Amino acid sequence: MADVMLHVPYDAAFAEENDRVIITAPYYQEQLVIVTRQGIEQGSLTPFKKEKIGVELDTWTDFYLLSALYGTLRDQVVHFRKTEEAVAALTRGEIAAVAGPRAEVEAALGSLANQYLLNNIPGLSRDRWDLGVAIKQGNNALAQTISQAMQTLMANGNMAKIFARYNTHHQSPKKRVTGD
């Protein structure tokens, strides 16, 4: 088992119940989104009764789209092994949209992002969550050090610069790093 794992869902209740890791240092708020080509109606899933929408197989987004609108989108959902593959199909014009985690979609679009529209996925009861760091239980000093480092990166703007380097936008977490 590694001592540190990044990009772990940060949930205070789950963290308290977990006796194997310390979950700390929320640094980003992930969000599920739909990115579409221009000309697709926004704010509704209705267009995807007729238009193809790409999604990574066996993800939360996949399961949601297959059951949304009483399953009427099922025939238009195109499965890919990775979100990046779905975005590539979008840029080639093979599908009208891609649904998935914002950071993955933005990174895959890269410099083409301004040619597409990015929106929330309508109808989800929870479409965003904070991400933090998991540290092997018992390593409190490391947890404190990482928490402080994340706080510094966010305060001085370097966290946003790191995300920008990968063509993504840093979204501040709902729960702020406080040195847990």
Side-chain angles (χ1 to χ4, degrees):
M1 177 197 244
D3 286 341
V4 177
M5 184 185 316
L6 294 173
H7 230 59
V8 174
Y10 181 91
D11 180 273
F14 174 72
E16 276 188 38
E17 297 296 320
N18 192 316
D19 64 352
R20 293 183 171 213
V21 296
I22 302 165
I23 300 176
T24 187
Y27 61 89
Y28 177 68
Q29 186 176 85
E30 186 59 274
Q31 175 184 12
L32 295 177
V33 297
I34 293 179
V35 62
T36 64
R37 64 176 191 247
Q38 304 287 336
I40 301 292
E41 176 188 343
Q42 303 299 300
S44 169
L45 292 174
T46 303
F48 306 111
K49 288 181 178 181
K50 295 182 178 167
E51 298 279 356
K52 300 275 185 206
I53 183 167
V55 66
E56 184 174 325
L57 183 64
D58 291 333
T59 60
W60 186 5
T61 314
D62 177 23
F63 301 136
Y64 175 71
L65 290 175
L66 290 175
S67 63
L69 303 180
Y70 304 103
T72 58
L73 309 180
R74 182 177 304 269
D75 292 339
Q76 300 304 323
V77 175
V78 181
H79 291 104
F80 294 88
R81 288 182 314 118
K82 299 210 169 267
T83 300
E84 295 83 5
E85 293 171 5
V87 170
L90 174 67
T91 63
R92 290 190 303 267
E94 297 168 8
I95 57 178
V98 172
R102 181 182 185 128
E104 289 181 35
V105 170
E106 286 181 336
L109 280 171
S111 63
L112 301 175
N114 62 351
Q115 298 175 30
Y116 297 89
L117 303 171
L118 190 134
N119 287 285
N120 296 339
I121 298 177
L124 282 175
S125 59
R126 184 172 183 186
D127 69 346
R128 58 190 73 211
W129 59 94
D130 289 349
L131 295 174
V133 181
I135 296 146
K136 190 174 181 179
Q137 191 62 259
N139 209 336
N140 294 353
L142 180 60
Q144 181 77 20
T145 300
I146 288 175
S147 232
Q148 289 171 349
M150 290 297 199
Q151 189 173 12
T152 300
L153 286 169
M154 290 176 60
N156 67 17
N158 282 333
M159 184 69 75
K161 289 176 186 173
I162 292 167
F163 275 76
R165 194 176 314 145
Y166 297 95
N167 299 309
T168 62
H169 294 89
H170 179 258
Q171 298 187 123
S172 293
K174 185 175 181 183
K175 164 99 170 76
R176 295 294 189 157
V177 175
T178 59
D180 297 273

